[in-house]
Amino acid sequence: MASFSATLFLILSVFLDSIVPIICPSVIEDLNNLKPPPDFNATITNNCINNPSLRYCNATPFDLEEIFKSTIVASHLCNISHNLNCVESFPKINLHKKPHLAPLYLSFTFFWKYCPLTITYIDISNNSLKGNFPTDIFYCSQIRDLDLSHNNFVGDVPVKNLSSLPNLTFLNLSYNHFSESGNLDSELFKRFNSTSFIHSGIFPDHSKFSFKVFLILVVLPIFVLVMVFCLCVLCSSRLDILPGCFRRRYEFTPSMLKAATKGFSKKKLVEKTSSVDVYYGILRDGTEVRIEVYNESLSREDARRIFAEGCKILSQLRHKNLVRVLGWCDTRRLRATVSEWKDGENVETWLRNANPSWKRRMKVMVGILQGVRYLNEEWPQVECDLKTKSILLNDDGEPLISRFKVDDGNNNTKRIFKFGLFILEMVSNMRPMEEVESSEAGFVQWFRLHYPQNFEKLIDEKMKMKETVVDQAKEAIELGLLCTDLSGVREQPSWDQISYVLSKSSCKALAGSDHRRYHQVDGRRKAKFLQTDESDDEIRMDPHSSVDHRRFLVV
């Protein structure tokens, strides 16, 4: 038996040394293909007679092939473990730092099942092995030293099995990832001190516990405070992410407007002047808005306060003929107002391209009158721009006043004058030139020059002219001239009188060729309009004047 084992050992040592690190599955296949020699059964029988304590002697069932393979593996394992005389003795299994071989030998259950009785030392450390505790080792119940340190074993440690090893005097399970043991009062932990379980995971790691306490008591509160701070900063710059009940109404931040306009992209810029840039934007909730960014910055706190108070007033305006102001932005680096977006064109473009009928023009004038009267009665401190380019039309053809500002005083005369200019623009499809100083006065004087003798020049030539339309247009021109009369000779008409004239499409209640007195329809107040030849001479411009009044007009 000795000569047979020695010969077989030499052959398989070379074979296993060359291929085990590379193709372990082929080694297992080769072992399975090995068959015991004819006299192997007799040899095993003699060994059992001489030493009945051998493990394979009492094996049930008695598997001769398994016993044969275990002797082959034992011979090779004894050699690579650097034992002095493997033919006579096999005291230790040393697989320290053999990460290719250690998993292979741990998989040979048939070897551990018939573990030689002479093995007292097992070292499988420093192999980074993974998986659960290798329980096949317990077949070698006679061992005195067991080292499984510096691996990656996980799961529960079989405390009861380890405690049942009577000769075990050295145990090292350090630097693994075992689960914490729920039985720390076991005999095993009394036999071996904490050096056997350093960073094994078996004992509660007080440093980890302290770290968790530090995380919970220090890091977590700091993290919460930082998150709350960041959330507050975010919410202060992006109020639109807050639920509606937490938002500050009407207030917009630069970040909100920047997000709505894609960073104030040039593609979103719809109008640009020296004082204001107008952008199209979409708010986070999908609302389409018109954003007017003012180029003039207000550094003084009182000026910013006045601007904010004015915007608060504008945001309260509610009328069908007014574009709704949704809010404003007031910071040191950005000043803007936000209003609802209307897709319709402005009246100036409408007059130029659509050639609207007199009926449609009257509808626009009446709608603007209603909006102006609302402001005059409810918000007298609010001024509005009545230029045709500032009046928008919605899908239903309803006119909308789109530009406002809050003034200190209540100048009713100025409002009536602006409305008179608007009437003249609607009739003639001409407008004052903003580039020319005093162009509004020149615009009105040009009308007075041609009215009534050459009034045909004052009516939009694109409009279809019927006799009734001509008469109504003449009356509208006379109303516009009355509204724009600032000479003091004749008193401006009241808003009630203007409403009456437009609603009836007639100026006869307001104008005459001689001295006449007109009374307000509802009888609440009387207004006198005195007209004399002398006053007419004062109002009308000299037809022979050398001033070219056409330079005040835009057709």
Side-chain angles (χ1 to χ4, degrees), residues 379-404:
W379 304 95
Q381 70 272 44
V382 176
E383 295 291 341
C384 58
D385 187 351
L386 296 183
K387 296 184 181 69
T388 52
K389 70 176 184 179
S390 300
I391 306 297
L392 304 178
L393 294 175
N394 63 17
D395 295 335
D396 298 326
E398 195 71 36
L400 301 168
I401 303 173
S402 64
R403 293 178 185 256
F404 315 90

Side-chain angles (χ1 to χ4, degrees), residues 532-542:
T532 65
D533 294 338
E534 291 79 15
S535 66
D536 287 346
D537 291 338
E538 291 178 4
I539 296 172
R540 295 192 180 95
M541 293 187 59
D542 183 0

Side-chain angles (χ1 to χ4, degrees), residues 211-275:
F211 181 69
K212 290 179 180 179
V213 172
F214 175 77
L215 286 177
I216 295 173
L217 298 183
V218 179
V219 176
L220 182 59
I222 293 176
F223 174 76
V224 171
L225 290 176
V226 170
M227 291 300 296
V228 170
F229 174 77
C230 293
L231 185 60
C232 291
V233 172
L234 178 61
C235 292
S236 64
S237 61
R238 291 296 305 274
L239 301 176
D240 50 345
I241 69 174
L242 293 173
C245 57
F246 295 107
R247 297 179 191 171
R248 288 178 288 179
R249 294 183 65 188
Y250 311 123
E251 292 190 32
F252 291 83
T253 64
S255 298
M256 293 170 63
L257 300 186
K258 187 175 181 180
T261 59
K262 305 294 184 183
F264 295 107
S265 169
K266 290 183 179 180
K267 295 181 179 180
K268 301 294 183 180
L269 184 64
V270 295
E271 184 180 343
K272 184 177 180 65
T273 65
S274 59
S275 59

Side-chain angles (χ1 to χ4, degrees), residues 190-361:
K190 295 178 181 178
R191 288 169 56 186
F192 302 98
N193 58 35
S194 59
T195 58
S196 298
F197 311 102
I198 299 173
H199 295 294
S200 64
I202 298 174
F203 291 143
D205 192 336
H206 295 291
S207 62
K208 289 183 178 180
F209 178 76
S210 301
F211 181 69
K212 290 179 180 179
V213 172
F214 175 77
L215 286 177
I216 295 173
L217 298 183
V218 179
V219 176
L220 182 59
I222 293 176
F223 174 76
V224 171
L225 290 176
V226 170
M227 291 300 296
V228 170
F229 174 77
C230 293
L231 185 60
C232 291
V233 172
L234 178 61
C235 292
S236 64
S237 61
R238 291 296 305 274
L239 301 176
D240 50 345
I241 69 174
L242 293 173
C245 57
F246 295 107
R247 297 179 191 171
R248 288 178 288 179
R249 294 183 65 188
Y250 311 123
E251 292 190 32
F252 291 83
T253 64
S255 298
M256 293 170 63
L257 300 186
K258 187 175 181 180
T261 59
K262 305 294 184 183
F264 295 107
S265 169
K266 290 183 179 180
K267 295 181 179 180
K268 301 294 183 180
L269 184 64
V270 295
E271 184 180 343
K272 184 177 180 65
T273 65
S274 59
S275 59
V276 63
D277 295 340
V278 181
Y279 291 89
Y280 166 78
I282 301 178
L283 300 181
R284 190 170 183 268
D285 61 0
T287 302
E288 295 180 293
V289 292
R290 173 190 176 96
I291 302 172
E292 295 190 7
V293 180
Y294 301 99
N295 298 326
E296 180 186 1
S297 61
L298 300 179
S299 56
R300 294 171 51 190
E301 288 298 326
D302 56 342
R304 293 180 56 199
R305 178 181 54 79
I306 293 173
F307 172 75
E309 289 177 354
C311 290
K312 288 180 181 178
I313 293 175
L314 297 181
S315 62
Q316 299 178 61
L317 303 180
R318 297 290 186 275
H319 192 272
K320 68 174 184 175
N321 296 111
L322 304 181
V323 171
R324 183 180 177 187
V325 177
L326 302 178
W328 69 92
C329 175
D330 176 30
T331 65
R332 293 188 180 275
R333 58 191 179 91
L334 181 64
R335 188 166 61 98
T337 56
V338 182
S339 58
E340 59 182 347
W341 176 266
K342 295 298 181 181
D343 290 323
E345 58 187 352
N346 60 40
V347 171
E348 179 181 318
T349 305
W350 178 66
L351 289 173
R352 184 172 60 246
N353 299 332
N355 303 329
S357 65
W358 176 249
K359 180 179 179 181
R360 296 179 64 189
R361 297 181 195 224

Side-chain angles (χ1 to χ4, degrees), residues 55 112 122 133-143 146 157-165 168:
R55 283 192 168 82
W112 298 100
I122 299 177
F133 192 100
T135 54
D136 284 347
I137 291 175
F138 292 123
Y139 284 114
C140 301
S141 58
Q142 74 283 355
I143 59 172
L146 177 60
V157 173
V159 175
K160 184 175 181 181
N161 297 72
L162 288 171
S163 301
S164 64
L165 300 177
L168 188 64

Side-chain angles (χ1 to χ4, degrees), residues 539-553:
I539 296 172
R540 295 192 180 95
M541 293 187 59
D542 183 0
H544 302 291
S545 173
S546 59
V547 179
D548 183 6
H549 302 289
R550 291 183 180 274
R551 70 188 183 90
F552 296 101
L553 306 179

